[in-house]
Structure formats: C-alpha cells, structure tokens
Amino acid sequence: MNGSWKLILPVGFVLYSLPLFLRVNGTSDYVIDEEFHIPQGLAFCRKEFDVWDPKITTFPGLYLLALLLHPLNLCTVTGLRMLSLAGAGVNILLLYKIRRRILAGAGGNSYAAHEAITMSVLPPLYFFSHLYYTDTLSLTMVLLFYNYWQQEAHLPAAVFGAASVLMRQTNIVWVCMATGMTVLDTLVNQCARTGLVPKEKVPLMGKELWIQLFSSPQLLCNCILSILAKCCFYASIILPFVGFLFINGSIVVGDKSAHEASLHVPQVFYFAIFAAGFGISNTIRQFRVAAELIRRNRVLSLLAMLIILVVVHLNTEVHPYLLADNRHYTFYIWSRLYGRFWWFRYAMAPAYLLSICVLFCGLRHMPDSFKLMFPLSLFLVLCFQRLLELRYFLVPYILFRLNTRHTRKGYAEWLELGAHLLLNVATFYVYFTKEFYWKNYRTPQRIIW
C-alpha cells in the first residue's frame, strides 16, 4: 500500500484543491503581496532577467522556478499560481515519506498518510497553496532537504538546502540546524563505537562524551574526519551565506526599511500558541503530561512565568504593518485583543507557559541533538523579526509536527484533521464573501491569513 499512497496523496490533493484553486484564481489578478511577486515572476518566466523590483526582499528562487513555465507557454498569473499548487502536491508526498520514516512502522502507512493529509491542509499553509507566494515552494525545498538529510544523502540534501535558501533567506537556519545535529550525532556515534560507553549513556549534556573525546586523540581525529565528510556540502552553503551577511549588512535584500532586524522574543510565545492550537492531537495527548510537569516543578514554573511577563513587558514589538493592514487575521487579533486591552498580553502568560511545555513534551522522545538545535533554530528564525506574521510560523511548525511523539491513531488525530478542514471552509468563505476597498486600489481587497 506504500506505493499506492505515494500516488494517491499528491494526485488526490491536487484534484481535491483544483475547483477551489480556480475559484480563488478568478477573484483577483493580485492578492496582497502578489502585487510584487507576480510581475517579477512573469518577467523571469519571459527570461527578462534585467527586470527586478527593488521592493522585493528575498532571493530570486521563487521567480527562477517560473522558468519551468516558459517552454509550456504558461507565463500567466494562473500558471504562476499553479506552481504553488503543484508544490503543495509534492509537499504532501514528502510529508508522508518523512513522517512514515519517523514513525518507523508504528501505526502503518495509513497512519503516516493521515498525518500527511492533516499537515497539508494546515489552514494558513493550505490557503497560500492557491497563491503565488514563497511559502509553499519554500516549504517544498526545506522538505526535500530534510528528506535527504534524514537518509544521510548529504550531497542532494545540500543541493535542496541551497535551493531553500534561494527561496527564503531564513531557511539557512534549518540548514545550520541539520548540520549541527549531524555534528553532534557523529560525536555520540563515534564515542559509542569505541565500546567503552554505551550510546544511551553518552548524553550531550553530560561530561562523559567530552571527557572521552578529548582524552583520545585518535577518537577526536576520527570524529573530525567523519564530520568533514558529512558536512562539507553544507559548509559550501553556510560559509558563502555568512559572507553575504557581512557584505550586505542584513539578511534582507532590496527594501530593508520594513524588515529591519530587532530582538522580538515574544514571537516564540506566539508560535507556541500557534503550534499548540493547530497541533491538536499533540496538545490533547501531552496536556496532562505538561500540566504535571508544571505542577512538579512549581518553583521553576513560577520563575518561568515571571520571565515571560518581563519579556512581554519589555520586548513586545508592534510593527506598523500589524496596525495598518486590515487584510490579515493578525490585524483583528491585535486590534481587538492585544491592542485594545492593556492587560491581555500579560493574561496570556499562563497560556504561553503551558503551550511551551506541551511542545516540549511532544518532542521529549527526540535525541538530545534535536532538543538542543531545534529550540535554538526556532529562536534564530523567529526572534529577530518585528512583524507578527503567521506565514513565518509555517516551516518551524511543520518541522515540529513531523517529529511529534507518535501514538496509536485515535480521536485526537481525527479531531485535528476535522478542525483544519472546518477552519479552511470558514477562511475561504470569508475570503470569497468579505470585500472592501482601499483608496489607492481599484480592485476589492479581501481578508487572508
């Protein structure tokens, strides 16, 4: 049945989405940021490489993919948007393959297929699968990279890692995360091969590994050679990117005025709510464990709560776009809750703490390398962006959800899938029925994620 799922999932996803795609495609030529993406994509599709909109802030990976349409004479708005739909079809296949590998046979192929469907219809992700945005195809490249990295096929992994960075610069963080995990896992495996200490007794956080490593020059040399053999391809991406940062002075290309880096730690709290809210099956299964963890560590939990409150008070950033752009749900969340009631942002502290614990418990089965590198990567990719934008949560959420603790499929998994589908119905209903006009725009504006 494994081979059947590999065909059924992408074909079924595209056929299921096609009527909705055609309806979305007929509503407007440009939807918000497509105002910049589509003209640039059409220019590259026609091989007009001297055309570049200075307001675009990403590398040209999205627009280079438009070259696939040129031989087919599909350099149209519909053609560009179909690239996202095709990417979403590839994504569901990759989600299935990666999740099946992580489950290692638990629950069977149908369980992995169910999980892949659930993640592919994640409401914000599913919505942008119908538009010409970077999000869907950026995720495609990250998943291709992650899929090959899991198989230790480091050369193709590096190729798709580079492609993911061309789609969106912040994807360099996931390349660095995988590289860091490779380094740490190599150290553990090499130490375990000596036979002096079992693998399960070589924790990264303990001193046994490091004592053993630095007390044996031969072991240290073997580790270095093994790491170089595995990570040289990733270094060929990371080192040039460091040079780019040094020369450019920022991770942003083009118009930097609206995307200046600034420390914004509450983004982690918003992400925790996002992940706990959409990852319903993990939240239901880990809720009691997380609550018990908080109860058993009352002093630490109280200290964590105080830290959250201090961070919220001192470091809550409000981007002008968040206050001005009423075409996004985040505008309404902020204006009607966070911005309207001064106390609301502080009242959310217990929810932040519980959500963080739920996420932690869902990943507690993962190796130390993941538990060390993923939170660090999450901090780097989120906490230097001032703008609260749900699209920035998509890749880290998918990487989190792919690695959540697996259990036997039950009502929680069906509830999560059902909630995603119902929310998609609601958001597309709002998109199709709610129209309003902006002074400088001829076409009606709509509300999206």
Side-chain angles (χ1 to χ4, degrees), residues 242-293:
V242 172
F244 158 75
L245 289 178
F246 181 77
I247 294 170
N248 191 56
S250 169
I251 198 171
V252 177
V253 297
D255 184 12
K256 300 180 178 65
S257 60
H259 297 277
E260 294 179 355
S262 61
L263 186 64
H264 192 193
V265 179
Q267 290 274 29
V268 172
F269 307 151
Y270 307 146
F271 172 78
I273 292 291
F274 178 94
F278 284 110
I280 295 171
S281 60
N282 178 74
T283 301
I284 289 175
R285 297 192 186 283
Q286 304 303 329
F287 184 86
R288 287 186 180 180
V289 181
E292 180 64 19
L293 180 67

Side-chain angles (χ1 to χ4, degrees), residues 345-357:
R345 63 185 68 177
Y346 302 105
M348 285 295 292
Y352 295 150
L353 178 61
L354 182 59
S355 296
I356 290 170
C357 289

Side-chain angles (χ1 to χ4, degrees), residues 66-203:
L67 288 169
L68 296 173
L69 302 174
H70 183 79
L72 304 174
N73 294 319
L74 286 175
C75 293
T76 62
V77 174
T78 303
L80 292 176
R81 287 173 173 168
M82 285 187 71
L83 287 174
S84 291
L85 185 62
V90 174
N91 287 348
I92 193 172
L93 175 60
L94 291 167
L95 290 168
Y96 167 71
K97 292 177 68 175
I98 295 170
R99 186 59 173 164
R100 184 168 60 89
R101 193 176 298 120
I102 291 171
L103 291 172
N109 294 329
S110 62
Y111 187 10
H114 181 103
E115 297 270 71
I117 294 168
T118 300
M119 285 182 272
S120 68
V121 296
L122 173 72
L125 175 62
Y126 186 68
F127 190 93
F128 288 105
S129 299
H130 299 75
L131 302 176
Y132 188 58
Y133 270 63
T134 57
D135 303 277
T136 302
L137 292 165
S138 170
L139 178 62
T140 303
M141 297 305 164
V142 171
L143 290 176
L144 283 166
F145 159 71
Y146 196 68
N147 177 60
Y148 282 110
W149 173 81
Q150 271 191 329
Q151 301 175 68
E152 297 193 18
H154 297 297
L155 177 56
V159 170
F160 287 111
S164 74
V165 176
L166 279 176
M167 287 289 174
R168 183 173 286 170
Q169 293 93 302
T170 52
N171 287 336
I172 190 66
V173 172
W174 309 118
V175 176
C176 291
M177 181 187 83
T179 305
M181 289 174 62
T182 301
V183 170
L184 296 173
D185 289 339
T186 300
L187 293 177
V188 171
N189 291 333
Q190 288 290 337
C191 288
R193 282 178 186 174
T194 63
L196 298 176
V197 183
K199 183 176 179 178
E200 60 273 9
K201 295 185 178 180
V202 189

Side-chain angles (χ1 to χ4, degrees), residues 188-376:
V188 171
N189 291 333
Q190 288 290 337
C191 288
R193 282 178 186 174
T194 63
L196 298 176
V197 183
K199 183 176 179 178
E200 60 273 9
K201 295 185 178 180
V202 189
L204 287 173
M205 310 303 178
K207 61 183 180 180
E208 294 87 355
L209 182 147
W210 307 103
I211 290 174
Q212 185 180 357
L213 187 64
F214 289 107
S215 63
S216 173
Q218 182 179 356
L219 177 60
L220 181 60
C221 184
N222 289 340
C223 287
I224 292 172
L225 291 175
S226 183
I227 288 168
L228 288 175
K230 293 179 179 179
C231 297
C232 61
F233 302 116
Y234 305 131
S236 67
I237 304 170
I238 296 169
L239 294 178
F241 193 86
V242 172
F244 158 75
L245 289 178
F246 181 77
I247 294 170
N248 191 56
S250 169
I251 198 171
V252 177
V253 297
D255 184 12
K256 300 180 178 65
S257 60
H259 297 277
E260 294 179 355
S262 61
L263 186 64
H264 192 193
V265 179
Q267 290 274 29
V268 172
F269 307 151
Y270 307 146
F271 172 78
I273 292 291
F274 178 94
F278 284 110
I280 295 171
S281 60
N282 178 74
T283 301
I284 289 175
R285 297 192 186 283
Q286 304 303 329
F287 184 86
R288 287 186 180 180
V289 181
E292 180 64 19
L293 180 67
I294 293 173
R295 190 192 67 79
R296 288 200 317 265
N297 300 275
R298 294 178 183 176
V299 175
L300 286 177
S301 298
L302 181 59
L303 179 60
M305 183 78 73
L306 291 174
I307 291 173
I308 290 172
L309 289 169
V310 170
V311 168
V312 167
H313 181 72
L314 297 178
N315 194 225
T316 297
E317 298 278 345
V318 185
H319 197 286
Y321 286 0
L322 182 61
L323 300 177
D325 197 339
N326 64 343
R327 298 171 297 181
H328 295 283
Y329 286 109
T330 48
F331 168 86
Y332 299 96
I333 293 171
W334 198 271
S335 63
R336 295 180 181 180
L337 295 172
Y338 283 88
R340 185 175 182 181
F341 306 108
W342 66 267
W343 49 264
F344 184 82
R345 63 185 68 177
Y346 302 105
M348 285 295 292
Y352 295 150
L353 178 61
L354 182 59
S355 296
I356 290 170
C357 289
V358 163
L359 269 58
F360 170 79
C361 291
L363 297 174
R364 69 187 187 276
H365 64 290
M366 293 297 289
D368 287 346
S369 58
F370 186 91
K371 289 188 282 190
L372 179 65
M373 294 302 301
F374 182 72
L376 176 61

